[in-house]
Amino acid sequence: GEDVEQSLFLSVREGDSSVINCTYTDSSSTYLYWYKQEPGAGLQLLTYIFSNMDMKQDQRLTVLLNKKDKHLSLRIADTQTGDSAIYFCAVLRTGNTPLVFGKGTRLSVIA
Amino acid sequence: DAGVTQSPTHLIKTRGQQVTLRCSPKSGHDTVSWYQQALGQGPQFIFQYYEEEERQRGNFPDRFSGHQFPNYSSELNVNALLLGDSALYLCASSSLAGRKDTQYFGPGTRLTVL
């Protein structure tokens, strides 16, 4: 089945850019998502990209997709302490298939 | 516009008991998916309901069952609770009929089994 891998930890200084990486195995993945989870909370949809796109920018967030390498990244510009959270990469083939998640990357922002 | 809501927020049960968790989808959504998130892990798919039927199921035992009502809300039932069922249970909604595949999550129900 589908496998999604992420590095577990990332630490950055406030004001720097953060880059969180993700790899996946299913080339049929149609939608690729980034969700944010703060302590004790549910999942907040941050952004997503369709598989026919290479890049998507949304304010401080930039998503890059390399379909050949099955690699997805999320760049957060001007990282703030409020960005400290766990970030999950998730992939979806179609609406009636399961969303498959990575284990999450814990982002720590140092003031 | 209300987002996805779940109840209760927290629940404590003992081994062998049964539990029911509830979810109301986002307005305009007709599909509910349930996920289990163990501590330090990513969410794992349990099952998906659409048109009051279970459409997809993940690798979970029959102790996990569900239901979807005509108003699209859903319940997750877990029987004969085990210590390993302690987790955050997340509900997500989307719309298969409306071809809105992106899933939006509720705040979750934290289940502790003692």
Side-chain angles (χ1 to χ4, degrees), chain B residues 1-74:
Chain B
D1 176 23
V4 181
T5 60
Q6 291 186 244
S7 64
T9 307
H10 295 88
L11 208 48
I12 299 174
K13 293 286 188 179
T14 56
R15 280 178 298 175
Q17 285 190 310
Q18 177 264 343
V19 69
T20 297
L21 311 182
R22 295 176 176 82
C23 171
S24 290
K26 190 175 161 65
S27 177
H29 284 182
D30 53 35
T31 305
V32 173
S33 302
W34 287 92
Y35 294 81
Q36 180 196 66
Q37 186 181 18
L39 201 60
Q41 301 295 315
Q44 297 290 317
F45 175 72
I46 302 174
F47 42 53
Q48 182 185 77
Y49 276 84
Y50 171 63
E51 293 185 324
E52 302 179 48
E53 289 188 8
E54 183 183 294
R55 297 289 176 157
Q56 294 280 329
R57 188 178 183 93
N59 188 24
F60 279 80
D62 291 345
R63 297 187 298 109
F64 290 76
S65 64
H67 190 77
Q68 185 179 35
F69 300 93
N71 67 352
Y72 309 121
S73 67
S74 176

Side-chain angles (χ1 to χ4, degrees), chain A residues 68-82:
Chain A
K68 176 177 170 290
D69 294 337
K70 300 191 192 69
H71 182 269
L72 182 73
S73 68
L74 173 69
R75 177 178 180 269
I76 305 173
D78 187 25
T79 312
Q80 302 298 307
T81 54

